[in-house]
Amino acid sequence: SGDPSPATAYGVFVGIKAAVKERLGRDSLQGLRVAVQGVGNVGFDLARQLKEAGAELWVTDIHRESLTAAARELGATVVAPEDIFALDVDLFAPCALGAILNDATIPQLKAKIVAGAANNQLAEARHGTELFRRGILYAPDYVINAGGIIDVYHERTGFDRGVLLRHIEGIYDNLMEVFERSRKEERPTGEVADAIAEERFKR
């Protein structure tokens, strides 16, 4: 397509399914309460997919037109940027700023899962440890948002939409491997993802 945003959004959607299965023991997203921070190209498309799957949405963004569209087209509830963290939701999806999981925001979280498209979500590695300590399941950003770079790869090696989608859907299994090892090893998911990546590099 030339635009990796839809692939990124689809990958995050697939990853959210994995996180919900792991943390909540559910295969369905029906009735899932999701707070989406940032409804730009990726965040809006993700919100659309979540809505179609039956989720309830709360959204924020610094751009008023994006919020207006999310409210009108997706039935999302609009909240102020500073209020998005403390909402009583199942899942927080950061799709805008990096370093958004930090000393100020983590204590506010009521969500059981953090899974979104933003890059570099942890302000510091220790914040992944803090999420783990609090029992909040974190989907490591570079695992769940890999759909975009997967799309770029396929753009350069011969684009086949079916092959692309199957490749992106592998994010589900990758995350489940991270989650399972995190449980067994009692280590934060970010540490586990790094370890898996290093093991694959060596192979």
Side-chain angles (χ1 to χ4, degrees):
S1 66
D3 176 10
S5 298
T8 304
Y10 181 56
V12 175
F13 177 72
V14 168
I16 284 174
K17 287 184 174 181
V20 168
K21 177 67 173 179
E22 171 68 21
R23 185 65 177 82
L24 304 180
R26 295 170 44 183
D27 292 309
S28 171
L29 302 186
Q30 183 71 40
L32 188 76
R33 298 166 299 166
V34 182
V36 182
Q37 182 193 41
V39 281
N41 288 342
V42 174
F44 192 93
D45 196 11
L46 172 63
R48 177 189 59 77
Q49 293 177 69
L50 290 167
K51 175 68 174 180
E52 290 174 356
E56 299 177 52
L57 302 174
W58 286 260
V59 299
T60 197
D61 200 295
I62 59 172
H63 300 291
R64 174 56 55 182
E65 59 274 18
S66 298
L67 294 176
T68 300
R72 182 181 64 247
E73 298 175 29
L74 306 177
T77 300
V78 173
V79 301
E82 63 272 17
D83 294 337
I84 196 73
F85 307 103
L87 295 176
D88 186 14
V89 294
D90 302 302
L91 186 144
F92 172 56
C95 297
L97 303 172
I100 202 63
L101 299 169
N102 54 52
D103 291 337
T105 61
I106 290 174
Q108 299 181 54
L109 294 175
K110 295 184 177 69
K112 300 177 180 68
I113 301 166
V114 174
N119 291 317
N120 305 312
Q121 294 172 26
L122 300 174
E124 299 176 39
R126 66 182 177 86
H127 292 115
T129 302
E130 181 62 14
L131 290 170
F132 182 76
R133 187 186 71 79
R134 290 171 177 266
I136 299 172
L137 181 66
Y138 169 60
D141 47 19
Y142 66 83
V143 183
I144 196 170
N145 72 14
I149 197 66
I150 291 171
D151 180 270
V152 170
Y153 167 79
H154 283 273
E155 294 281 356
R156 284 156 176 72
T157 58
F159 188 83
D160 180 301
R161 181 171 174 78
V163 173
L164 168 65
L165 293 179
R166 286 192 294 275
H167 195 167
I168 292 172
E169 286 160 3
I171 289 172
Y172 185 100
D173 291 334
N174 287 339
L175 280 172
M176 292 305 282
E177 179 182 0
V178 170
F179 298 152
E180 181 178 4
R181 279 185 54 170
S182 174
R183 261 189 290 109
K184 289 181 177 178
E185 299 173 13
E186 297 184 346
R187 297 169 63 195
T189 53
E191 287 184 16
V192 171
D194 288 352
I196 293 172
E198 288 167 6
E199 291 165 9
R200 292 185 179 185
F201 291 152
K202 291 174 182 176
R203 288 204 301 267

